[in-house]
């Protein structure tokens, strides 16, 4: 049986609220499907570099976890997002501005 999943729009709203409570500026730069769209999280470190996170299935542990898929110049991260959006129009992109790279994705409740 498939793992029950929260609608993406609800998850995004809750994540943005959690970031706001931690005083981490964030916004939705690409709005995907409200029900089942995938989510990418870009963290701009405000020094010209960024990180990109995606939730991926780990077949060994049977857990969906957030993994950093790109880490480098912000232009490189933006290009990776552009490529993903090219074949997945339902994709959400959340952009965070955090000098220390804090995204809260490793905290309980966001896995």
């Amino acid at each position: 049986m498939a793992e029950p999943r929260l609608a993406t729009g609800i998850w995004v709203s809750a994540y943005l609220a959690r970031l706001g409570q931690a005083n981490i500026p964030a916004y939705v730069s690409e709005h995907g499907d409200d029900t089942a769209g995938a989510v990418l999280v870009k963290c701009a470190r405000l020094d010209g570099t960024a990180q990109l996170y995606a939730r991926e299935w780990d077949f060994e542990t049977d857990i969906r976890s957030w993994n950093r898929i790109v880490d480098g110049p912000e232009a490189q991260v933006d290009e990776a997002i552009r490529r993903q959006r090219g074949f997945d129009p339902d994709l959400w992109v959340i952009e965070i501005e955090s000098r220390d790279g804090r995204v809260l994705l490793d905290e309980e409740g966001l896995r």
Side-chain angles (χ1 to χ4, degrees):
M1 179 178 225
E3 171 187 284
R5 292 179 25 164
L6 190 61
T8 306
I10 294 170
W11 185 91
V12 168
S13 292
Y15 181 51
L16 292 174
R18 196 167 196 180
L19 289 165
Q21 289 174 344
N23 293 318
I24 299 172
Y27 59 94
V28 174
S29 64
E30 299 288 344
H31 187 287
D33 182 76
D34 286 326
T35 305
V39 178
L40 293 178
V41 176
K42 173 187 170 184
C43 179
R45 292 184 290 232
L46 306 175
D47 63 357
T49 65
Q51 300 168 321
L52 186 63
Y53 295 85
R55 198 164 182 208
E56 298 175 335
W57 194 268
D58 183 337
F59 292 102
E60 290 183 22
T61 62
D62 201 29
I63 295 173
R64 293 177 68 223
S65 59
W66 287 97
N67 297 312
R68 186 172 43 217
I69 58 172
V70 181
D71 187 349
E74 192 165 359
Q76 178 184 354
V77 171
D78 290 340
E79 176 59 23
I81 293 169
R82 189 191 65 71
R83 281 193 312 270
Q84 284 287 114
R85 289 276 305 163
F87 65 84
D88 186 357
D90 294 332
L91 184 69
W92 289 74
V93 179
I94 299 171
E95 295 201 25
I96 297 171
E97 295 176 348
S98 174
R99 290 188 192 284
D100 61 2
R102 189 166 176 226
V103 294
L104 306 182
L105 292 172
D106 57 349
E107 293 188 5
E108 281 298 316
L110 291 174
R111 294 171 202 235

